[in-house]
């Protein structure tokens, strides 16, 4: 099983990926950003080198091969938290990953634009490092309109949308597991309030 988590930057993909990994025995997270970082460092000083590694056909090819290889090697499930806004790029990556048995799931974590901006403003990607955290917030703010356009143009039609605007991370996990037809994980019960 491959679970591709798409949606806005700062929309909760990494949090959901961690929850799915805990809930699904044997699951692993494949981060295509690591493929991008590898290409960025390897191609340093080499032309042409696009600003966004997703524009590299090599990144798209390696990402698909990386995910497919992990499924073959481990049997899955493989969780992929990665925003892909360009529909042609998504098609290029997703087509070889779509399995005849329906084992490829494209989940789109949607967040209302106002709620997304609140979450971005409250995020601290690098606790204790205000400059790096603000750089991440600025990047997420710049990319928010690109997500809205992709959501309207193709993403919501292609994937299963989970609107996280009013959901907690646990509720988002439950919604994802329900769509995947998998049981929600047992959670510790909260202590009973003392009786008078």
């Amino acid at each position: 099983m491959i679970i591709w988590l798409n949606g806005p930057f700062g929309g909760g993909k990494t949090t959901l990926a961690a929850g799915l990994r805990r809930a699904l025995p044997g699951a692993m997270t494949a981060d295509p950003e690591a493929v991008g970082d590898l290409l960025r460092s390897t191609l340093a000083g080499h032309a042409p080198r696009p600003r966004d590694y997703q524009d590299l056909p090599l990144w798209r090819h390696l990402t698909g091969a990386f995910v497919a290889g992990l499924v073959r090697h481990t049997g899955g499930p493989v969780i992929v938290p990665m925003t892909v806004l360009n529909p042609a790029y998504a098609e290029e990556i997703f087509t070889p990953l779509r399995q005849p048995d329906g084992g490829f799931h494209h989940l789109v974590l949607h967040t209302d634009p106002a709620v997304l901006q609140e979450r971005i403003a409250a995020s601290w990607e690098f606790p204790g490092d205000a400059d790096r955290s603000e750089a991440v917030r600025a990047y997420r703010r710049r990319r928010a309109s690109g997500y809205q356009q992709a959501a309207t143009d193709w993403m919501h039609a292609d994937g299963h949308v989970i609107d996280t605007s009013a959901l907690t991370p646990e509720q988002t996990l439950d919604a994802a597991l329900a769509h995947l037809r998998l049981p929600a994980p047992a959670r510790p019960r909260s202590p009973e309030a003392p009786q008078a």
Side-chain angles (χ1 to χ4, degrees), residues 61 73 83 95 104 109 126 133 138 145 149 165 180:
H61 171 75
H73 183 72
T83 299
T95 297
F104 178 85
L109 303 185
F126 298 99
S133 292
S145 63
Q149 188 65 51
S165 302
L180 298 169

Side-chain angles (χ1 to χ4, degrees), residues 40-106:
R40 190 177 283 131
S41 65
T42 302
L43 296 174
H46 208 277
R49 185 173 155 243
R51 186 174 173 155
D52 185 344
Y53 54 72
Q54 289 193 16
D55 293 331
L56 285 170
L58 182 57
W59 177 82
R60 300 188 300 273
H61 171 75
L62 289 174
T63 293
F66 174 49
V67 173
L70 284 173
V71 171
R72 282 192 304 273
H73 183 72
T74 67
V78 175
I79 304 153
V80 189
M82 174 56 64
T83 299
V84 179
L85 300 178
N86 185 313
Y89 294 177
E91 187 66 21
E92 186 178 340
I93 298 166
F94 294 174
T95 297
L97 297 177
R98 294 190 195 273
Q99 302 166 1
D101 64 358
F104 178 85
H105 302 275
H106 180 205

